Amino acid sequence: MAKIIKGKPVADKITEELSKEIENIKAKGGQPKLATLRVGERGDDIAYERGATKRAEKIGIEVASVVLPGDITQEDFIEELQKLNKDASVNGILIFRPLPKQIDESMIKNIIAPEKDIDCFSPVNVGKMTEGDPTGFNPCTPSAVMEILDFYGVEIKGAEASVIGSSMVVGKPVAMLLLNRKATVRVAHSKTRDTAAVARQGEILVVGVGVPKMVKEDWVSEGAVVIDVGINVDDEGNMSGDVDFEKVQKKASMITPVPRGVGSVTTTVLAKHVLKAYKQQN
Amino acid sequence: MAKIIKGKPVADKITEELSKEIENIKAKGGQPKLATLRVGERGDDIAYERGATKRAEKIGIEVASVVLPGDITQEDFIEELQKLNKDASVNGILIFRPLPKQIDESMIKNIIAPEKDIDCFSPVNVGKMTEGDPTGFNPCTPSAVMEILDFYGVEIKGAEASVIGSSMVVGKPVAMLLLNRKATVRVAHSKTRDTAAVARQGEILVVGVGVPKMVKEDWVSEGAVVIDVGINVDDEGNMSGDVDFEKVQKKASMITPVPRGVGSVTTTVLAKHVLKAYKQQN
């Protein structure tokens, strides 16, 4: 039976480190600050906003929550974003996505100040991630995957890693982060002929596709470390990952649960990035 | 025996298309222009500059060659670059790399105007490449690999692709371009335990590591399409790729030679990017 590797101990450890650092900063009169920028009242956004705010404040980061009407024009949205870009007291900006359709994301991502773009919306940060440039901000969820692997002592260098899914939210960035740490990486997706075969090659298997319980036990090699980034909620409100947890846990050596897995670390990584932005700016 | 897939027919076809387009632009009074920016007198740079200039001029692109002394300060270099950034008559800028060590490349890549950065030096373009954003400029050599695959009718979507090497010059970008076209991609590198096994899984095998003749016939699966991006020159001036051509050609279905393979397409892709930049700017 696999060891169940939860997110909380990982988040707790990072939180402790960040709290200490921020205490020191405050003692010298500094104050890291996050601005969240939400358009409209989508439940997902509100839930993530609440989680991120709670976590950041717990660590000692100030949070300014900007909420704009769901029918705001692109022009007005850009004006609000520019204010945050220019506001020297704001170190990090989190824009909840997807934005409503009257706002062109491909334009906005080029407007957010890269040095405040703590969740890798700007192509500048996507580029730095691909290059492995440590001055950039990697996206929070893929970074949370890496934090979990490191916390639980999983050797990445030289490991056979399989990533299922190639979205910009999970698959592609996870693949790049694993590659930059010198794993041997393979990526499968909807056009892959034999996804199970790719999955089985992974000593580390990361799944982020948004299909509940897609990964069965015969997709997983004996002793694999399985990181489930999927969050699926059924009609009755039950949450499950992309991995068939009950079955796969009999075969894996370690497995993240859903909930209480990767998702529990994401907002802590966000806070970590705010602190990084603060230090770069001061 | 493999079909030897040379670069010239690929370059010729693109050249023909570009020439027509540029003829039309000129008829309307327009003039696409490339500026090359070289520091010092490195033989590699001069050879590439000559090739790029010849190709661009043949197609009807004007070329301004800026050559700076090898001991130029970073400040002066930046000033020259800024001039090209601001010069509205210049559509594309090619900086020869590596730059001498008194110039910090990680700073320069953030100064070159992304919209003129036709060889993907700026993290903005690296990011757009990773995202698959068609407004960016992908690096020329990896793009040449894709042009060759397309010209010779190699199906990329759903294909099993193996990339050997994970540099920012070849391996990583090739992997991203293949992934964005929905190949199932695996990447091996110096820390990979069994590189031959990864190579053998590729129906498309792209190699860019800089080790002469590293890829032997037992690394290649029967019927694979082999793209050799390596350019190695021995003490006697003989050029070879990273693939043991004589042996591998017996097993592959198609194989690029070195020389006269990928390298023959790179400067044509560069010219294509100058035209793209011109059109975006006008």
Side-chain angles (χ1 to χ4, degrees):
Chain A
M1 285 290 272
K3 177 178 177 184
I4 297 170
I5 51 175
K6 294 189 177 178
K8 189 169 182 299
V10 187
D12 286 349
K13 178 165 173 272
I14 302 170
T15 296
E16 197 187 318
E17 292 163 0
L18 298 179
S19 299
K20 271 186 210 155
E21 251 193 282
I22 291 179
E23 221 169 275
N24 288 335
I25 287 170
K26 287 186 170 180
K28 293 176 193 153
Q31 177 59 62
K33 184 173 170 181
L34 166 68
T36 61
L37 184 51
R38 167 160 64 84
V39 178
E41 304 292 331
R42 291 195 337 139
D44 285 6
D45 293 347
I46 295 171
Y48 187 36
E49 183 186 78
R50 192 181 300 131
T53 301
K54 197 174 145 191
R55 174 64 59 170
E57 289 181 343
K58 186 180 167 191
I59 292 173
I61 292 168
E62 189 185 334
V63 181
S65 160
V66 180
V67 181
L68 304 170
D71 62 352
I72 190 168
T73 64
Q74 177 166 289
E75 204 184 340
D76 290 347
F77 177 83
I78 290 173
E79 201 182 308
E80 293 293 332
L81 177 55
Q82 294 281 23
K83 274 188 216 163
L84 298 176
N85 278 347
K86 284 174 198 153
D87 183 342
S89 78
V90 170
N91 307 111
I93 302 170
L94 176 66
I95 301 176
F96 296 99
R97 289 173 275 163
L99 290 163
K101 56 178 179 298
Q102 75 272 19
I103 301 174
D104 179 4
E105 287 200 4
S106 68
M107 174 178 277
I108 304 306
K109 74 183 184 188
N110 289 297
I111 293 175
I112 186 170
E115 67 275 15
K116 298 188 178 185
D117 172 38
I118 51 170
D119 195 24
C120 203
F121 189 17
S122 162
V124 173
N125 284 314
V126 177
K128 287 184 172 183
M129 173 190 76
T130 301
E131 292 175 336
D133 179 337
T135 67
F137 298 97
N138 298 331
C140 293
T141 297
S143 300
V145 170
M146 303 306 285
E147 294 280 3
I148 289 172
L149 291 172
D150 285 336
F151 180 88
Y152 290 104
V154 178
E155 175 81 19
I156 296 170
K157 190 156 119 182
E160 302 288 327
S162 293
V163 178
I164 312 299
S166 65
S167 72
M168 266 311 291
V169 183
V170 180
K172 270 196 238 178
V174 166
M176 287 313 311
L177 296 178
L178 287 167
L179 190 57
N180 287 341
R181 292 278 297 277
K182 291 289 179 188
T184 298
V185 177
R186 31 184 82 63
V187 187
H189 44 69
S190 58
K191 301 297 174 210
T192 294
R193 288 198 295 256
D194 190 349
T195 307
V198 175
R200 273 193 297 271
Q201 292 187 324
E203 297 163 336
I204 299 171
L205 173 60
V206 183
V207 187
V209 287
V211 180
K213 302 187 182 182
M214 186 178 80
V215 175
K216 308 290 182 193
E217 67 271 38
D218 62 326
W219 287 41
V220 177
S221 66
E222 199 70 45
V225 174
V226 179
I227 309 289
D228 187 350
V229 193
I231 296 180
N232 309 289
V233 183
D234 70 15
D235 294 343
E236 287 158 8
N238 300 309
M239 195 181 279
S240 70
D242 294 344
V243 175
D244 192 336
F245 183 86
E246 294 306 326
K247 288 173 181 163
V248 169
Q249 69 169 327
K250 291 172 190 156
K251 215 160 173 194
S253 65
M254 300 187 194
I255 185 168
T256 58
V258 177
R260 284 184 288 280
V262 177
S264 321
V265 184
T266 302
T267 56
T268 307
V269 169
L270 187 78
K272 186 173 177 175
H273 289 182
V274 176
L275 177 58
K276 180 179 175 181
Y278 175 88
K279 290 194 285 187
Q280 286 181 354
Q281 290 160 33
N282 286 278
Chain B
M1 286 291 271
K3 176 178 178 184
I4 297 170
I5 51 175
K6 294 190 177 177
K8 189 170 183 297
V10 187
D12 285 349
K13 178 166 172 271
I14 302 170
T15 297
E16 195 187 321
E17 292 163 1
L18 297 180
S19 298
K20 272 185 209 155
E21 251 194 282
I22 292 179
E23 220 169 277
N24 288 336
I25 288 171
K26 287 186 169 180
K28 291 175 194 154
Q31 178 58 63
K33 183 172 171 183
L34 165 68
T36 61
L37 184 51
R38 167 160 64 85
V39 179
E41 304 292 332
R42 290 193 338 138
D44 285 6
D45 293 346
I46 295 171
Y48 188 35
E49 184 187 77
R50 191 181 299 132
T53 302
K54 196 175 146 191
R55 174 65 58 169
E57 289 181 342
K58 186 180 167 191
I59 293 173
I61 293 169
E62 189 184 334
V63 182
S65 160
V66 179
V67 181
L68 303 170
D71 62 352
I72 190 169
T73 65
Q74 177 166 291
E75 206 185 339
D76 290 346
F77 178 83
I78 290 172
E79 201 183 307
E80 293 293 332
L81 177 55
Q82 295 281 24
K83 273 189 218 163
L84 298 177
N85 278 347
K86 284 174 198 154
D87 183 342
S89 78
V90 170
N91 307 110
I93 302 170
L94 176 67
I95 301 175
F96 296 99
R97 289 175 274 164
L99 290 163
K101 56 178 181 300
Q102 75 272 19
I103 301 174
D104 179 3
E105 286 199 4
S106 69
M107 174 178 277
I108 303 307
K109 73 184 183 188
N110 288 296
I111 294 175
I112 186 170
E115 68 276 14
K116 298 188 179 185
D117 172 38
I118 50 169
D119 195 24
C120 202
F121 188 18
S122 161
V124 173
N125 285 313
V126 178
K128 288 184 171 182
M129 173 189 76
T130 301
E131 293 175 337
D133 179 336
T135 67
F137 298 96
N138 299 331
C140 293
T141 296
S143 299
V145 170
M146 304 306 285
E147 294 280 3
I148 290 172
L149 291 172
D150 286 336
F151 180 88
Y152 289 104
V154 178
E155 175 81 18
I156 296 171
K157 190 157 120 183
E160 302 288 327
S162 293
V163 178
I164 311 301
S166 65
S167 72
M168 266 311 291
V169 183
V170 181
K172 270 196 236 176
V174 166
M176 287 314 310
L177 296 178
L178 287 167
L179 190 56
N180 288 341
R181 292 277 299 275
K182 291 290 180 188
T184 298
V185 177
R186 31 185 81 63
V187 187
H189 44 70
S190 59
K191 301 298 174 208
T192 294
R193 287 197 295 256
D194 190 349
T195 306
V198 175
R200 273 193 298 269
Q201 291 188 324
E203 297 164 335
I204 299 170
L205 173 60
V206 183
V207 187
V209 287
V211 179
K213 302 187 180 182
M214 186 179 80
V215 175
K216 307 291 181 191
E217 68 270 39
D218 62 326
W219 287 41
V220 176
S221 67
E222 199 69 46
V225 175
V226 179
I227 309 290
D228 187 350
V229 193
I231 296 179
N232 309 289
V233 182
D234 70 14
D235 293 343
E236 287 158 8
N238 301 309
M239 195 181 280
S240 70
D242 294 345
V243 174
D244 191 336
F245 183 86
E246 294 306 325
K247 288 172 181 163
V248 169
Q249 70 168 328
K250 291 173 190 156
K251 215 161 172 192
S253 64
M254 299 186 192
I255 186 169
T256 58
V258 177
R260 285 184 288 281
V262 177
S264 321
V265 183
T266 301
T267 57
T268 307
V269 169
L270 187 79
K272 186 174 177 175
H273 289 183
V274 176
L275 176 58
K276 179 179 174 181
Y278 175 88
K279 291 194 284 187
Q280 286 180 355
Q281 290 160 33
N282 288 278

